[in-house]
Amino acid sequence: MSDSIEGLRRAPGAALSTDVVDDVLVVTIDRPGEPVNTLSPALVGEFEGVFLRVDQDLLIKAVVLISGKPDTFIAGADIEQFTTFRSAADAERVSRLGQDLLVRLERLRVPVVAAIHGACLGGGLEVALACRYRICTDHPKTTLAQPEVQLGLIPGMGGTQRLPRRVGLQAALDMILTGRNVRPRRALQTGLVDEVVHPAILREIAIDRARGLADGTRAPSRPGSRGPTSMLLEHNPLGRRVVFKKARASVLEKTHGNYPAPLAALEAVQAGYAGGFEHGQREESRLFGEMAMTDVSRQLVFIFFASNSLKKDPGVEAPAPEPRVVHKLGVLGAGFMGAGIASVAVQQGTLVRLKDTDTARIGKGLAGIRGVLQERLARKQITRHQLDDDMSLVGGSTDYSGFESADLVIEAVFEDLELKHRVLAEVEPVLDPLAIYASNTSTIPIARIADVAHRPERVLGMHFFSPVHRMPLLEVIVTPQTAREATVTAVAYGKRLGKTVIVVNDGPGFYTTRTLSAYMNEAGRLLDESAAIDAVDAALVEFGFPVGPITLLDEVGIDVGGKVGQVLADAFGERMAPSDAMRRVVVAGRTGRKGGKGFYLYDSTGKKGRVDEGVYELIAVPRREILKDEIVSRCVLAMVNEAARCLEEGILRSARDGDIGAVFGIGFPPFRGGPFRYIDGEGVGEIVDRLEDLNLRFAPRFAPAQLLVDMAAARRSFYPAER
Ligand code: NAI
């Protein structure tokens, strides 16, 4: 196979290198100095060069496109590029260039085979779709997706046209409208790829298939939708109209009209069916241009860059000490959070030791861990063998045996300071002096927990969110005594667990719980003033939160919310005093979904029903309508004002951390960019005016943060103005 008629050729600094194997040109994409391959204007130029060569060199009978990176084919367009667009026309032009390139690829004199290993995303998938044949590896790193909507964009290189033609309308819409990852097996089922092979033989098979396509011994696969129902629906205009109508309704239901990109993508796909491929492409690039200029896209691109920059942030000012490697983790409390933390730790190969008060609770914890792994197995993200390996890493006991060799201990016992003191005092003498002790408390100041520690410099907070295996944020909390080396270790380990990590300074509720509480409290106050429970929830869901504050309280547990509220009220006084409604519901013993009785009704399976009218009797005020705008304004301003206080007090290191923390941790609408981006978007002066107006009615809790007042006076914003 390797009897090349010429050696590997690559121009200095170029991403593409070529290698001729017999009569097949193997083009390897490997952007020098970059961790992944992305598509950039320079790469487009290089492709042009390859096409020219293929046109001229008649000895070349076929082409294979393969990546030189260990786990990406092409991860998509270079997103940096999107920030340089100055107008819709600008972005549209770049999309047209990409489309033209792929039309040339598709019409090349010889067949092209895409050999895909690793991430094949966005523009990468569009490149693959323009090839005549696609092979991917059956490796966990291999995923195919059209994730543009996640950045507020749509595919811009023909993806809205080729994908439906390749996999059928419904499968294509599912990918384009959600950005969902497609794994090799599913890709084969839908016809997205033609073959799935072991990584070791990818190149060899690709060359073989390329040659087969060239000499006619292998026919290109037939595109189109699979299954009789999809055929019936998709292959006539009436059926397609049904599909489009349903897709649109589903997008609107999920996005509440807050995300324009999925609707634009639908329009582009529809245009292709109505007016043909070329018309579809023109519509696609026009709509791509339009989307690139939306505020939603700007915010989502910001979030992408901000979370990337956090990946590189060690968590302390430079020069950062080296983090310690965590080989073994001790977890105190095998409850809901303890088991959740253990489940993500074993998946990274960490040895885990669980400690709880009795063996039944340990058993429950182990079952919880297994449950998370089994979910991954069911989704084919891990094998049964991996599940067994992961489970073999965890053991439990009712004493501290095994803790002496732990590098890190995470405490997740009940939220009770006395108990937290007791377990710290018990375990500390057992631990290695360099071991780090982290509490997963969601509210109690870490310094208070560390009060009883002999080595307070080894104590910090690692605040995970529930459910741990799904929630992307970790809030690391440091006290003035925490050693820098302990901080960088907690941050590095959090990243290893796949989390986006922000580091905040200590204080009641830190950043996330504190800002969330300000918001939830205001929702309670609205109930005091007789707002309808479902009206409060609906208004904030429409604003963009994943669930409303009252539903969230039912989910978290009203008893838990009550305790958190009390800690914050003790710390911040009148501003955070719990609402009357909340107090009454707590006293009545309602705990929310887990107890089957909360603000809403729950059936025996825990499914949420309508509002429990009995709550209104408890609150004892007659219902009256409060306008949606008032609900949103009060809850959101309470939250963003508290976020500003956190920055002013130095709880937060930066506005960026505050934005990412709120979006990834407490459900702040991503398309609004986070509290600080939201303030900037509305205008700091405008926010101060609105807070002052509210404060006239509800003093002192809406008094604007001093930071906002100062910034408004100086006409400053948190981020530099864009575009
Ligand atoms: P949980 O009630 O599910 O688990 C607590 C576990 O601690 C129980 O298994 C209990 O037996 C165990 N425990 C009690 N005393 C112990 C001792 N002396 N030694 C060892 N284990 C002991 O509670 P959950 O929800 O897991 O919360 C744990 C901590 O995580 C709390 O501090 C909570 O505030 C915090 N947290 C909870 C979140 C949630 O959504 N549930 C989110 C973020 C933080």
Side-chain angles (χ1 to χ4, degrees), residues 166-183:
R166 170 62 43 197
V167 300
L169 180 58
Q170 290 176 93
L173 289 182
D174 183 51
M175 288 179 72
I176 295 172
L177 302 183
T178 64
R180 195 192 312 287
N181 276 337
V182 175
R183 308 248 161 223

Side-chain angles (χ1 to χ4, degrees), residues 332-338 355-358 361 400 411-416 419-420 422-423 426 439-443 463-466 556 560:
L332 297 173
F336 184 59
M337 294 303 286
K355 190 264 173 191
D356 209 303
T357 46
D358 59 65
R361 284 178 191 261
Y400 296 104
E411 167 272 303
V413 301
F414 303 129
E415 188 78 337
D416 176 304
L419 175 64
K420 293 201 188 268
R422 200 167 72 232
V423 296
E426 278 172 15
S439 175
N440 181 49
T441 173
S442 50
T443 324
H463 179 204
F464 289 87
F465 294 76
S466 113
V556 171
V560 175

